[in-house]
Amino acid sequence: MSNPTIVATQTAVPRSIRLLRLKFRLLSGFSTELAFGAAWRLFTTPRKLPEKSWEAAAVAEARQFWVNSARGAIAAYEWNPQGSRTVLLVHGWEHRASFWGVMVRGLVGAGFRVVALDGPAHGASAGRRTTLPAFARAVQAVADEVGEVYAAVAHSLGAAATAGIPVEFNRAGNGRLPRLVLLAAPGSTTAVAQRFAQFLHLPEAVVQRMHRYIQEQHGRDAESFSLIQMGHTLPADRAMLVHDFNDESIPFAEAQEIANSWPNLDFRPTTGLGHNGVMRDAGVLKQLVEFLS
């Protein structure tokens, strides 16, 4: 229940991917259990992407602090501590808090206090592997630490963790979240796993073993974490979903499924922004600030 951003098809398959597919074909032929173990490690291990040129500036004015969690310390960042209302930003798979640079500047300019975290096994936070529930537990720890949260803005895996588990906001108060914004959110956890399996050409026996493992570990099936099942249960006064028609990682049809399952969700499709562009597009940011105001 991680990695929602693997693309299942591509025109030119790199040699490294062809070798990886061969590895899993050989492992599967020898032992489903061995193939499952290797696939699960890959599925739950984010790559440490090189730092982009603009990331340092994004966190230069932030106060970094640390939040304890069961799996190790979570790095968190705060901008504009005097802001009247707190917005919590939750990044996606293989991203980190610094990826929110454009969003942070816009929200601070609108007067908000902004907090973001590096998810477990991401950025400066502890760990090498993570799952959707572990990611959500980290978000929960930060949400509990920072006090009253007015809004959560979550992208991709972060959206799945925030609204699919879901995270419980403002537990010391009325337990409600005034505003929730989801960007490029996957609708179905089993669809995420299926895309991963298709990308690696995993046999169905390995995929079913992954589903059984999730059931064994969490006492619920993978699809029960899906936004189409759980999103509308998060007690948010108002919720908005932004998803691009050209999202190369999460099919637009999944956003439509989320919208169909969620009464009163403010669904705002975009065109030409892709999976990550919705995080930093000026038009989306303007709509988001208006929605939060």
Side-chain angles (χ1 to χ4, degrees), residues 199-235:
F199 182 74
L200 293 177
H201 296 176
L202 297 179
E204 184 62 22
V206 175
V207 178
Q208 291 305 315
R209 181 64 184 92
M210 291 175 68
H211 290 322
R212 290 199 305 275
Y213 181 76
I214 293 168
Q215 179 74 49
E216 292 163 2
Q217 293 295 306
H218 304 292
R220 51 193 281 197
D221 64 84
E223 192 61 16
S224 72
F225 294 101
S226 295
L227 264 69
I228 57 176
Q229 300 288 334
M230 297 299 297
H232 67 279
T233 69
L234 194 155

Side-chain angles (χ1 to χ4, degrees), residues 4 31 58 83-84 106 164 172 197:
S31 166
S84 59

